[in-house]
Amino acid sequence: MDSNTKRSLLVTVVGVTLFVALLRFSDVLAFAARLVDLALPILAGGILALFINVPMTGLEKRLKQLFRKAGKQPPDKTLRLLSFFITLVGIVLVLVLALTLLVPELVKSFHSLYLQIESNIPRWTAYLSAQDADMGWLMHWLEGINWEQLLHKAADSIDKVLVNAVGAVSATVNVIVTASFALIISVYLSLGTESLGRQAHTLVCAYLKPRHAAGLLRFCRLFRQSFANFLTGQCSEAVILGVLMAFAFSVFQLPYGSLVGMLTAICAIIPYVGALISCVVSVVLVLLVDPMLAVRCLIVYLAVQFIENQFIYPRVVGKSVGLSPLYTLIAAMIGGNLFGILGIIFFIPLTAVVIELVKEDACRRLQANGNQS
């Protein structure tokens, strides 16, 4: 079969497939949703493994250097396993430290709020009694209620609540199962990075043309390095923002300065969005202590966050991936609008890779044009 016949046959098959897909579009969407549900644990596990692999690889390199200086060289699998467990222990310790700081402060704040409400109840009761309000309208309203109809509506509402509760329990179970599989898959991916990389390299070289295979492998290498640099810069920026927030709270005499700084640093791992989450929690904490300070807390938090987002973040993170502050901000905005939080996280290193490849292609074209002239 010659190339023209193959091309015509391929175009015909693709056209017929698209026509049938348009006719059964609802079935195609249902099938696609089913595929996404099936692949979701794998995708989530891969993303989690990508995050774990960055500090894990750095620890593995440091361990190799330490053992080399000590005159010992354990197997690579042992070093990889050790670095993996150190990474997990570090993540768990950070989460435990955050919960240790957060939970007691929440309990203390709610207890203080309860004492304030309890002490104000007699004053509120005396105020209502002093008003001598006419409650005749309430009695008239109660007499006009059809209690039988109200009971039927309540029974129907209970049925709906039970159905929604069953659906909520089922969704919760699905989330737990998906998260469990994703965690297990991330462990296997993290520990088997080298073998999986060799297998992927073999498949790409076997099924793609040499030029296309080389381009795809280079893109993957650049993206991995760019993402590692981005995550390192993001962690540095999170620490800077946490220190700035704790300092600002202490300067403006706001409570929970150290707690807010820790919470901000943890949430700021998510670019631009994480700080907003910690802002809401911080304002709620201050609101429980003194409602008048909540406004000051909101103003201080938003001011520090605005300065950090506009001046510090693009320079720290952009410098780590080789992007200018303008490109970093644009990449985060586009990624966030298209894919939410994951878009913000992955679009910055992806933009850095694309710009690097475009620069290389432009240099090659200019050299080729110079040689031709």
Side-chain angles (χ1 to χ4, degrees):
M1 187 180 296
D2 57 1
S3 59
N4 291 331
T5 305
K6 288 182 179 180
R7 190 178 299 109
S8 301
L9 183 60
L10 180 61
V11 170
T12 303
V13 171
V14 171
V16 171
T17 303
L18 289 176
F19 180 74
V20 174
L22 290 175
L23 290 179
R24 307 294 297 272
F25 192 65
S26 59
D27 295 335
V28 172
L29 289 180
F31 179 72
R34 180 61 178 168
L35 287 180
V36 170
D37 290 338
L38 292 175
L40 186 59
I42 302 175
L43 294 175
I47 293 173
L48 184 59
L50 190 60
F51 279 95
I52 295 175
N53 190 62
V54 174
M56 177 181 163
T57 304
L59 283 172
E60 188 176 354
K61 291 180 180 178
R62 293 296 178 89
L63 290 174
K64 286 182 179 180
Q65 293 176 359
L66 291 176
F67 281 111
R68 191 179 298 114
K69 290 181 180 179
K72 299 179 181 179
Q73 189 60 40
D76 291 341
K77 291 184 178 180
T78 303
L79 292 177
R80 192 174 304 112
L81 188 62
L82 181 59
S83 61
F84 175 76
F85 279 112
I86 293 175
T87 302
L88 288 186
V89 169
I91 294 173
V92 171
L93 286 178
V94 171
L95 294 178
V96 169
L97 179 61
L99 292 177
T100 303
L101 291 174
L102 181 60
V103 173
E105 295 295 343
L106 284 175
V107 173
K108 181 180 177 181
S109 299
F110 281 112
H111 181 67
S112 175
L113 181 63
Y114 169 76
L115 292 178
Q116 291 180 11
I117 294 175
E118 186 180 25
S119 62
N120 287 324
I121 285 178
R123 183 167 58 86
W124 294 340
T125 305
Y127 174 78
L128 292 176
S129 300
Q131 300 301 313
D132 193 20
D134 183 14
M135 304 300 292
W137 65 271
L138 180 60
M139 300 301 297
H140 179 70
W141 179 72
L142 292 174
E143 291 176 357
I145 295 177
N146 188 342
W147 294 102
E148 183 177 358
Q149 183 180 3
L150 185 62
L151 288 175
H152 284 297
K153 290 183 178 180
D156 294 338
S157 299
I158 291 174
D159 293 337
K160 293 180 181 179
V161 168
L162 290 176
V163 172
N164 292 333
V166 172
V169 171
S170 177
T172 304
V173 172
N174 289 335
V175 169
I176 294 174
V177 171
T178 301
S180 301
F181 277 111
L183 182 60
I184 295 172
I185 290 172
S186 67
V187 172
Y188 281 106
L189 290 176
S190 299
L191 296 178
T193 301
E194 290 189 1
S195 61
L196 290 173
R198 288 194 298 267
Q199 294 171 8
H201 184 276
T202 302
L203 290 175
V204 169
C205 294
Y207 288 97
L208 293 180
K209 295 180 179 180
R211 183 168 62 88
H212 297 160
L216 179 59
L217 293 174
R218 174 162 174 75
F219 176 84
C220 293
R221 286 193 298 268
L222 287 176
F223 180 79
R224 181 180 179 181
Q225 184 62 41
S226 179
F227 183 80
N229 295 336
F230 163 76
L231 193 58
T232 303
Q234 188 67 34
C235 292
S236 302
E237 183 271 339
V239 173
I240 293 173
L241 180 59
V243 172
L244 287 177
M245 204 62 69
F247 177 75
F249 269 56
S250 62
V251 168
F252 289 94
Q253 298 181 352
L254 292 169
Y256 306 126
S258 58
L259 174 61
V260 169
M262 171 68 71
L263 186 64
T264 302
I266 294 174
C267 293
I269 299 298
I270 305 173
Y272 292 99
V273 178
L276 292 177
I277 299 174
S278 60
C279 176
V280 174
V281 177
S282 303
V283 171
V284 171
L285 287 174
V286 176
L287 183 65
L288 295 176
V289 176
D290 188 350
M292 298 303 297
L293 290 177
V295 178
R296 187 195 304 176
C297 171
L298 181 62
I299 294 174
V300 170
Y301 203 107
L302 291 180
V304 174
Q305 185 185 350
F306 176 80
I307 294 172
E308 190 273 340
N309 281 345
Q310 301 301 321
F311 301 104
I312 300 176
Y313 179 82
R315 295 184 180 278
V316 173
V317 179
K319 185 179 180 181
S320 65
V321 296
L323 281 180
S324 66
L326 177 61
Y327 286 157
T328 304
L329 191 60
I330 292 175
M333 291 174 57
I334 295 175
N337 288 329
L338 292 178
F339 302 104
I341 294 176
L342 288 179
I344 295 176
I345 293 175
F346 286 101
F347 254 61
I348 294 176
L350 182 62
T351 303
V353 173
V354 171
I355 290 177
E356 180 65 23
L357 293 177
V358 170
K359 287 181 179 179
E360 292 180 359
D361 184 68
C363 290
R364 284 196 299 267
R365 290 174 181 270
L366 289 174
Q367 291 178 356
N369 293 334
N371 293 334
Q372 290 177 0
S373 62

Short mmCIF file of all heavy atoms in Angstrom, two decimals, residues 1 3 18 25 30-31 57 98 103 134 142 152-153 167 179 198 205 212 250 277 293 325 334 346 351 365 372:
data_model
loop_
_atom_site.label_atom_id
_atom_site.label_comp_id
_atom_site.label_asym_id
_atom_site.label_seq_id
_atom_site.Cartn_x
_atom_site.Cartn_y
_atom_site.Cartn_z
N MET A 1 0.85 -1.19 0.00
CA MET A 1 0.00 0.00 0.00
C MET A 1 0.89 1.25 0.00
O MET A 1 1.75 1.41 0.86
CB MET A 1 -0.91 0.00 1.24
CG MET A 1 -1.95 1.12 1.23
SD MET A 1 -2.99 1.08 2.72
CE MET A 1 -3.79 -0.50 2.52
N SER A 3 1.92 5.43 0.01
CA SER A 3 1.71 6.46 1.04
C SER A 3 0.42 7.25 0.81
O SER A 3 -0.28 7.62 1.76
CB SER A 3 2.91 7.40 1.08
OG SER A 3 3.09 8.03 -0.18
N LEU A 18 -15.02 10.88 13.76
CA LEU A 18 -15.51 12.16 14.26
C LEU A 18 -17.00 12.33 14.01
O LEU A 18 -17.74 12.85 14.87
CB LEU A 18 -14.74 13.32 13.60
CG LEU A 18 -13.28 13.48 14.02
CD1 LEU A 18 -12.63 14.60 13.20
CD2 LEU A 18 -13.18 13.79 15.50
N PHE A 25 -22.65 12.21 20.92
CA PHE A 25 -21.77 13.05 21.72
C PHE A 25 -21.95 12.80 23.22
O PHE A 25 -20.97 12.82 23.99
CB PHE A 25 -22.03 14.53 21.40
CG PHE A 25 -20.99 15.46 21.95
CD1 PHE A 25 -19.68 15.42 21.52
CD2 PHE A 25 -21.33 16.38 22.94
CE1 PHE A 25 -18.72 16.27 22.04
CE2 PHE A 25 -20.38 17.23 23.46
CZ PHE A 25 -19.07 17.19 23.01
N ALA A 30 -19.81 10.62 28.34
CA ALA A 30 -19.92 9.67 29.45
C ALA A 30 -18.72 8.71 29.47
O ALA A 30 -18.17 8.41 30.53
CB ALA A 30 -21.23 8.89 29.34
N PHE A 31 -18.31 8.26 28.29
CA PHE A 31 -17.15 7.37 28.21
C PHE A 31 -15.87 8.09 28.64
O PHE A 31 -15.03 7.52 29.35
CB PHE A 31 -17.02 6.85 26.78
CG PHE A 31 -15.85 5.94 26.57
CD1 PHE A 31 -15.85 4.65 27.09
CD2 PHE A 31 -14.73 6.36 25.87
CE1 PHE A 31 -14.77 3.80 26.91
CE2 PHE A 31 -13.65 5.52 25.68
CZ PHE A 31 -13.67 4.23 26.21
N THR A 57 15.23 13.65 45.31
CA THR A 57 16.43 13.62 44.46
C THR A 57 17.55 14.45 45.07
O THR A 57 18.73 14.04 45.04
CB THR A 57 16.08 14.14 43.06
OG1 THR A 57 15.01 13.37 42.51
CG2 THR A 57 17.27 14.07 42.13
N ALA A 98 2.42 22.19 62.29
CA ALA A 98 1.35 23.15 61.98
C ALA A 98 0.10 22.84 62.79
O ALA A 98 -0.54 23.74 63.36
CB ALA A 98 1.04 23.12 60.49
N VAL A 103 -4.29 23.80 66.36
CA VAL A 103 -5.42 23.25 67.11
C VAL A 103 -5.55 23.87 68.50
O VAL A 103 -6.65 24.28 68.90
CB VAL A 103 -5.30 21.71 67.18
CG1 VAL A 103 -6.36 21.14 68.11
CG2 VAL A 103 -5.44 21.10 65.79
N ASP A 134 -44.49 43.30 72.12
CA ASP A 134 -45.80 42.69 71.91
C ASP A 134 -45.62 41.43 71.07
O ASP A 134 -45.20 41.51 69.92
CB ASP A 134 -46.72 43.69 71.21
CG ASP A 134 -48.13 43.11 71.04
OD1 ASP A 134 -48.43 42.09 71.69
OD2 ASP A 134 -48.90 43.71 70.26
N LEU A 142 -48.47 31.69 64.35
CA LEU A 142 -48.47 30.26 64.67
C LEU A 142 -49.83 29.62 64.42
O LEU A 142 -49.93 28.46 63.99
CB LEU A 142 -48.05 30.05 66.13
CG LEU A 142 -46.59 30.38 66.46
CD1 LEU A 142 -46.35 30.25 67.96
CD2 LEU A 142 -45.64 29.47 65.70
N HIS A 152 -45.82 16.83 56.34
CA HIS A 152 -45.56 16.14 55.07
C HIS A 152 -44.30 16.69 54.40
O HIS A 152 -43.47 15.93 53.88
CB HIS A 152 -46.76 16.28 54.13
CG HIS A 152 -47.92 15.39 54.50
ND1 HIS A 152 -47.82 14.02 54.49
CD2 HIS A 152 -49.19 15.68 54.90
CE1 HIS A 152 -48.98 13.49 54.85
NE2 HIS A 152 -49.83 14.48 55.12
N LYS A 153 -44.16 18.03 54.42
CA LYS A 153 -42.96 18.62 53.82
C LYS A 153 -41.70 18.21 54.58
O LYS A 153 -40.65 17.95 53.99
CB LYS A 153 -43.09 20.14 53.81
CG LYS A 153 -44.12 20.68 52.83
CD LYS A 153 -44.14 22.20 52.84
CE LYS A 153 -45.14 22.73 51.82
NZ LYS A 153 -45.18 24.23 51.82
N GLY A 167 -25.42 9.78 49.32
CA GLY A 167 -24.55 10.22 48.23
C GLY A 167 -23.26 10.84 48.74
O GLY A 167 -22.18 10.60 48.18
N ALA A 179 -7.67 8.51 46.90
CA ALA A 179 -6.48 9.05 47.55
C ALA A 179 -5.54 7.93 48.00
O ALA A 179 -4.31 8.07 47.89
CB ALA A 179 -6.89 9.91 48.75
N ARG A 198 14.00 4.58 32.21
CA ARG A 198 14.64 3.78 31.15
C ARG A 198 13.59 3.14 30.25
O ARG A 198 13.76 3.10 29.01
CB ARG A 198 15.52 2.71 31.78
CG ARG A 198 16.81 3.25 32.41
CD ARG A 198 17.78 2.13 32.70
NE ARG A 198 17.20 1.19 33.67
CZ ARG A 198 17.39 1.28 34.98
NH1 ARG A 198 18.12 2.27 35.50
NH2 ARG A 198 16.87 0.37 35.80
N CYS A 205 12.08 5.94 21.93
CA CYS A 205 13.05 5.72 20.84
C CYS A 205 12.59 4.64 19.87
O CYS A 205 12.93 4.67 18.69
CB CYS A 205 14.41 5.35 21.42
SG CYS A 205 15.19 6.68 22.35
N HIS A 212 12.08 13.27 16.34
CA HIS A 212 10.97 13.51 17.26
C HIS A 212 11.26 12.96 18.65
O HIS A 212 10.90 13.57 19.67
CB HIS A 212 9.70 12.88 16.70
CG HIS A 212 9.25 13.49 15.41
ND1 HIS A 212 8.39 12.85 14.53
CD2 HIS A 212 9.56 14.67 14.84
CE1 HIS A 212 8.20 13.62 13.48
NE2 HIS A 212 8.89 14.74 13.65
N SER A 250 3.49 41.21 64.28
CA SER A 250 4.11 41.68 65.51
C SER A 250 4.22 43.20 65.52
O SER A 250 4.05 43.85 66.56
CB SER A 250 5.49 41.04 65.69
OG SER A 250 6.36 41.43 64.63
N ILE A 277 -6.05 31.43 51.22
CA ILE A 277 -6.63 30.47 52.15
C ILE A 277 -6.16 30.77 53.58
O ILE A 277 -6.97 30.81 54.52
CB ILE A 277 -6.23 29.04 51.74
CG1 ILE A 277 -6.79 28.72 50.35
CG2 ILE A 277 -6.73 28.02 52.76
CD1 ILE A 277 -6.32 27.38 49.81
N LEU A 293 -10.09 43.97 65.85
CA LEU A 293 -8.78 43.74 65.26
C LEU A 293 -8.85 42.99 63.94
O LEU A 293 -7.86 42.94 63.21
CB LEU A 293 -7.91 42.93 66.24
CG LEU A 293 -7.45 43.64 67.51
CD1 LEU A 293 -6.66 42.68 68.38
CD2 LEU A 293 -6.60 44.85 67.17
N PRO A 325 9.93 38.51 35.68
CA PRO A 325 8.73 38.68 36.52
C PRO A 325 7.44 38.80 35.72
O PRO A 325 6.40 38.29 36.13
CB PRO A 325 9.03 39.96 37.31
CG PRO A 325 10.53 40.02 37.37
CD PRO A 325 11.00 39.45 36.06
N ILE A 334 -2.67 32.81 33.37
CA ILE A 334 -3.26 31.96 32.33
C ILE A 334 -3.51 30.56 32.85
O ILE A 334 -4.58 29.98 32.65
CB ILE A 334 -2.35 31.93 31.09
CG1 ILE A 334 -2.27 33.32 30.45
CG2 ILE A 334 -2.88 30.92 30.06
CD1 ILE A 334 -1.30 33.40 29.29
N PHE A 346 1.84 24.27 37.38
CA PHE A 346 2.58 23.66 36.27
C PHE A 346 2.84 24.62 35.11
O PHE A 346 3.73 24.36 34.30
CB PHE A 346 1.81 22.44 35.75
CG PHE A 346 1.91 21.25 36.66
CD1 PHE A 346 0.87 20.93 37.51
CD2 PHE A 346 3.04 20.47 36.69
CE1 PHE A 346 0.95 19.84 38.36
CE2 PHE A 346 3.14 19.38 37.53
CZ PHE A 346 2.09 19.07 38.38
N THR A 351 6.00 27.19 30.92
CA THR A 351 6.31 28.39 30.14
C THR A 351 7.81 28.59 30.01
O THR A 351 8.31 28.99 28.95
CB THR A 351 5.67 29.63 30.81
OG1 THR A 351 4.26 29.42 30.93
CG2 THR A 351 5.93 30.88 29.99
N ARG A 365 17.55 28.93 13.53
CA ARG A 365 17.06 29.53 12.28
C ARG A 365 17.93 30.71 11.86
O ARG A 365 18.21 30.90 10.68
CB ARG A 365 15.61 29.96 12.45
CG ARG A 365 14.63 28.80 12.56
CD ARG A 365 13.21 29.28 12.87
NE ARG A 365 12.29 28.17 13.00
CZ ARG A 365 11.58 27.65 11.99
NH1 ARG A 365 11.73 28.16 10.77
NH2 ARG A 365 10.76 26.65 12.20
N GLN A 372 23.20 30.67 4.91
CA GLN A 372 22.68 30.74 3.53
C GLN A 372 23.06 32.05 2.85
O GLN A 372 23.35 32.10 1.68
CB GLN A 372 21.18 30.56 3.54
CG GLN A 372 20.76 29.14 3.89
CD GLN A 372 19.22 29.01 3.96
OE1 GLN A 372 18.51 29.99 3.73
NE2 GLN A 372 18.76 27.81 4.27
#
